Amino acid sequence: MYVLGIESSCDETGIAILKDRRLIAHTLFTQIDLHQIYGGVVPEIASRAHIEKVDILLKQTLEDAHISLSDLDVIAAVQGPGLIGGVNVGLTFGKALAYALDKPFIGINHLEAHALMPRFENEIPFPHLVFLASGGHTQFILMNGIGDYKILGTTLDDALGEAFDKVAKLLNLPYPGGPEVDKNAKFGDKTKYNFPRPMKGKIEPNFSFSGLKSAVRRIAQEKESLSETEINDICASFQEAVCETVEDRLETVLQQTKNLKLNGVAFAGGVARNTFLRERLKTLCAKEKIPFFVPTPSLCVDNGVMIAWAGYERARLKKFSDMSATAYPRKNLEEIK
Ligand code: KG4
Ligand code: ZN
């Protein structure tokens, strides 16, 4: 089964072709250069760039895969959540292709795609836990099966990726900020600043990152300019606060799900690229004697592969969408079937 995946919900246009579990070809156009001068994603610029790139990337991906359009068996495209203009580009393009080729179509929830991604490279039976941390979401998801998800914990304010991006902005680091903080933290002293560990010790396995971000702002604004050493120390201390907070929240949720006999913990979403968090959560899971999974770094951030993979997971179960599927800017994962 050849599955085509189309991603366009934020600032990456991604196209991928899977043959069953195997990745045959994929292309990704990242719009970072277009948005960098604005310090964040500008929705209208994003939608336009998706329109300009989507068919060029499709052509290239088919060429790389050495197949033609008529070989495709299933078309999967992102349906939301995300920037609605961009989502509409990928979704409409996908539906039009499916209609023209007379092939089944599947509208994919972007969060579901992130959450299923660890299963692409590993056999992870249900039920298992996913810690999903991206630019817009921070959640513990109990994965009971395809389309059967329960949110066990979430952020009460900023998403973790958003906190990384805002901290980077305060330190005048380039956009997108997460990878920059990660990079600078490697050279910093993590004990230099004692930033808060928000929600640590709370019974509900939720998160809150706005206080942590404000604490960084206070330190950053105390000085007229920051030296490279100070920036590195702030990044390292911020990241240490994040790691300790996530460890505490993960331990809490693992305690509360002990009787569910979970088959593992998977880390997903753009923040799962973070080198420190990957190691720390791996160590924690080893200590708790539960298998830990995290995708290859390039597969953690938005790309077409995750949409194609979620399409494959759904197609296997004949969970197709109909052509009336419309884009949505927000949706709770528990609402999808
Ligand atoms: O999943 P993703 O590509 O897009 C969304 O669905 O939001 O995640 C993007 C987020 C951004 O906030 C970005 O700064 C963060 O993931 N990110 C990182 C790292 N790489 C990407 N955060 C921390 N460390 C990283 N290495
Ligand atoms: Zn994403």
Side-chain angles (χ1 to χ4, degrees):
M1 176 165 65
Y2 281 109
V3 182
L4 179 79
I6 305 167
E7 160 61 27
S8 62
S9 67
C10 191
D11 58 349
E12 318 272 355
T13 321
I15 304 272
I17 296 171
L18 295 185
K19 185 176 188 193
D20 299 328
R21 290 192 74 104
R22 203 151 51 85
L23 178 60
I24 303 295
H26 80 117
T27 51
L28 189 70
F29 173 74
T30 172
Q31 305 177 358
I32 288 175
D33 292 348
L34 302 178
H35 301 289
Q36 203 150 37
I37 54 165
Y38 305 101
V41 180
V42 182
E44 286 310 314
I45 294 177
S47 325
R48 187 176 292 266
H50 288 303
I51 292 174
E52 286 168 358
K53 286 287 181 247
V54 71
D55 55 345
I56 299 171
L57 293 184
L58 172 64
K59 226 180 230 164
Q60 183 63 52
T61 316
L62 286 167
E63 261 176 51
D64 295 350
H66 303 294
I67 62 168
S68 61
L69 269 181
S70 56
D71 293 319
L72 297 172
D73 296 298
V74 177
I75 314 292
V78 68
Q79 191 179 348
L83 300 172
I84 200 73
V87 172
N88 261 319
V89 173
L91 180 70
T92 311
F93 191 73
K95 285 203 294 188
L97 271 177
Y99 183 70
L101 298 168
D102 197 19
K103 297 288 164 70
F105 171 75
I106 310 180
I108 300 290
N109 181 291
H110 181 88
L111 301 177
E112 178 186 36
H114 273 305
L116 290 174
M117 205 53 204
R119 280 168 51 91
F120 174 58
E121 294 172 303
N122 301 281
E123 295 283 345
I124 319 174
F126 298 115
H128 61 265
L129 184 76
V130 166
F131 172 50
L132 169 57
S134 68
H137 295 83
T138 308
Q139 297 177 334
F140 287 122
I141 307 164
L142 173 61
M143 309 282 290
N144 286 315
I146 304 295
D148 183 359
Y149 312 118
K150 191 164 167 38
I151 310 292
L152 302 179
T154 188
T155 179
L156 306 180
D157 40 57
D158 292 352
L160 184 49
E162 189 182 355
F164 267 95
D165 294 337
K166 286 179 175 168
V167 162
K169 214 169 181 174
L170 288 168
L171 302 176
N172 288 322
L173 296 173
Y175 162 86
E180 295 293 323
V181 173
D182 192 355
K183 213 162 55 192
N184 287 279
K186 292 191 169 72
F187 306 103
D189 173 3
K190 65 181 183 186
T191 63
K192 186 74 193 232
Y193 301 98
N194 187 19
F195 290 129
R197 275 70 170 147
M199 310 292 279
K200 193 170 170 185
K202 289 267 188 325
I203 300 265
E204 297 81 20
N206 289 329
F207 296 91
S208 161
F209 292 109
S210 73
L212 174 55
K213 174 196 67 193
S214 304
V216 174
R217 174 179 292 123
R218 276 193 295 277
I219 297 288
Q221 290 178 345
E222 261 173 22
K223 316 217 162 142
E224 232 159 67
S225 69
L226 292 165
S227 70
E228 204 178 311
T229 310
E230 282 167 331
I231 291 178
N232 293 344
D233 290 345
I234 292 175
C235 289
S237 303
F238 164 76
Q239 230 172 224
E240 182 60 21
V242 167
C243 285
E244 269 189 35
T245 304
V246 175
E247 282 167 345
D248 174 78
R249 309 290 60 214
L250 180 57
E251 296 226 47
T252 303
V253 79
L254 284 177
Q255 279 301 323
Q256 292 171 4
T257 50
K258 264 227 149 79
N259 57 346
L260 298 181
K261 304 224 171 353
L262 297 177
N263 291 300
V265 171
F267 186 15
V271 181
R273 271 193 89 129
N274 187 270
T275 39
F276 293 78
L277 264 173
R278 289 170 80 93
E279 278 310 308
R280 295 278 287 261
L281 298 189
K282 185 172 151 195
T283 306
L284 186 152
C285 289
K287 193 185 96 202
E288 295 291 334
K289 298 194 171 44
I290 184 161
F292 175 72
F293 306 92
V294 60
T296 302
S298 60
L299 295 179
C300 294
V301 283
D302 295 351
N303 60 72
V305 186
M306 65 190 228
I307 304 297
W309 173 246
Y312 173 73
E313 292 255 46
R314 287 189 159 262
R316 267 197 308 188
L317 303 175
K318 306 227 172 328
K319 286 174 176 273
F320 300 114
S321 310
D322 61 49
M323 286 296 184
S324 62
T326 49
Y328 46 80
R330 270 175 291 278
K331 187 169 280 199
N332 188 327
L333 256 192
E334 290 178 359
E335 284 171 39
I336 68 166
K337 290 282 163 327

